[in-house]
Amino acid sequence: MAWPRPDRHPVTRVERFRAARRDPELAVLEGFHALKHALRFDAELLEIVVAQDGPALRLGCELAPDVLERLSCARTLPWHEYAELAPLPHPTGAIGIARRRQATPAEVLGVPGTQPLVLLESPAHLGNLGAAVRVAAAAGAGGVLATGPHDPWHPEALRAAAGLHYALPVAWVESLARGTRPLVAITPEGEDLGSAILPPRAVLAFGTERSGLSEEVLASADHRISIPMMAGVSSLNLATAVAVVLYAWRLRDPEGC
Ligand SMILES: C[S@@+](CC[C@H](N)C(=O)[O-])C[C@H]1O[C@@H](n2cnc3c(N)ncnc32)[C@H](O)[C@@H]1O
């Protein structure tokens, strides 16, 4: 899918940040933690702005001395000018533009090792998409693929992922992608996760928030696995379900990470 390119050459800082939000080659990183992770995982930062009197540099001293030097080179602006650079200025007072680390679906599917991949089928909420990327990075998954209308590198998804798109390959894919990997449907009607086997190199497919996995994915799956819930509970939040399954895998198979 081609997300629209910015229509004209941006001149002012506000225009640059606005244009970057729609540029399929760029990533807008909102907040100290997103910038911290992007720097830590070697993103190519094109511009960083921090708000004067905001907490970003103090947070850098306290939480991320490894990236402090690069954060200190940021342009410093009064809060009201910083606040013009995003629709919802992040309270940590930091924002930046980086080049995306582009990965193709084939590259994600070809990641070596036994780790699972996460396939999100048409996630509706960018916050869930980002939270799924964040936990996939934390648990050591091989990568994340997402189908549907949303760009997984959208600034809102990056914000929810705290910039961890730079820690593992993340790509949009037209339709169900599995390559030669086993496909595991994660669905409330399946074998109990407590006893189910998670095969190596699996693609773990998670469904859309309202209606779950499509018939196509359910029909093609090699396994169906469910997360046990108390009676009366219909389902977990999408990103929570991703976290539960990835950590079930990780805690069982720490060597595979
Ligand atoms: C909010 S749920 C969708 C609920 C939908 N009504 C359904 O029946 O699948 C979003 C996704 O999270 C995963 N999920 C949530 N709770 C789950 C559970 N208890 N067992 C397995 N998967 C679950 C599934 O992949 C599901 O498609």
Side-chain angles (χ1 to χ4, degrees):
M1 180 186 285
W3 278 272
R5 287 187 154 278
D7 39 26
R8 64 196 178 93
H9 188 65
V11 180
T12 67
R13 184 176 294 109
V14 171
E15 286 175 340
R16 278 200 302 282
F17 273 83
R18 197 173 291 151
R21 300 183 82 79
R22 292 177 286 120
D23 191 319
E25 291 178 7
L26 299 180
V28 175
L29 296 156
E30 297 176 350
F32 165 77
H33 296 286
L35 281 165
K36 171 193 72 182
H37 283 134
L39 288 167
R40 199 169 271 166
F41 290 98
D42 295 324
E44 185 187 349
L45 263 296
L46 305 177
E47 186 163 0
I48 306 178
V49 172
V50 299
Q52 278 163 11
D53 307 326
L57 294 179
R58 176 180 54 76
L59 289 170
C61 293
E62 289 172 6
L63 304 175
D66 54 319
V67 301
L68 188 58
E69 195 179 325
R70 292 190 63 194
L71 261 187
S72 311
C73 303
R75 178 81 187 187
T76 310
L77 295 179
W79 186 276
H80 71 275
E81 287 184 38
Y82 154 76
E84 290 173 353
L85 302 179
L88 186 64
H90 198 280
T92 52
I95 191 166
I97 300 174
R99 270 192 216 294
R100 293 187 188 195
R101 186 164 293 155
Q102 303 282 11
T104 64
E107 285 166 346
V108 180
L109 289 166
V111 166
T114 56
Q115 307 97 306
L117 302 180
V118 171
L119 173 69
L120 302 173
E121 196 182 26
S122 206
H125 298 291
L126 289 161
N128 271 337
L129 206 169
V133 170
R134 183 174 186 167
V135 74
V144 177
L145 293 167
T147 67
H150 288 310
D151 173 7
W153 284 78
H154 187 285
E156 278 181 47
L158 277 157
R159 183 168 169 145
L164 282 162
H165 289 57
Y166 290 95
L168 77 177
V170 176
W172 182 83
V173 64
E174 174 92 41
S175 58
L176 166 66
R178 64 189 294 185
T180 55
R181 291 170 176 264
L183 179 65
V184 179
I186 309 298
T187 174
E189 271 97 52
E191 191 185 342
D192 190 311
L193 176 63
S195 51
I197 290 169
L198 289 169
R201 293 182 60 70
V203 171
L204 305 173
F206 296 85
T208 191
E209 288 87 340
R210 183 158 300 174
S211 51
L213 283 167
S214 64
E215 285 305 322
E216 182 201 355
V217 172
L218 289 170
S220 340
D222 301 298
H223 307 271
R224 294 183 187 191
I225 291 180
S226 71
I227 303 164
M229 295 181 293
M230 294 292 284
V233 179
S234 317
S235 67
L236 296 170
N237 158 273
L238 168 59
T240 307
V242 175
V244 170
V245 177
L246 285 180
Y247 272 90
W249 158 73
R250 178 168 177 132
L251 295 173
R252 258 186 233 171
D253 184 17
E255 301 301 316
C257 301

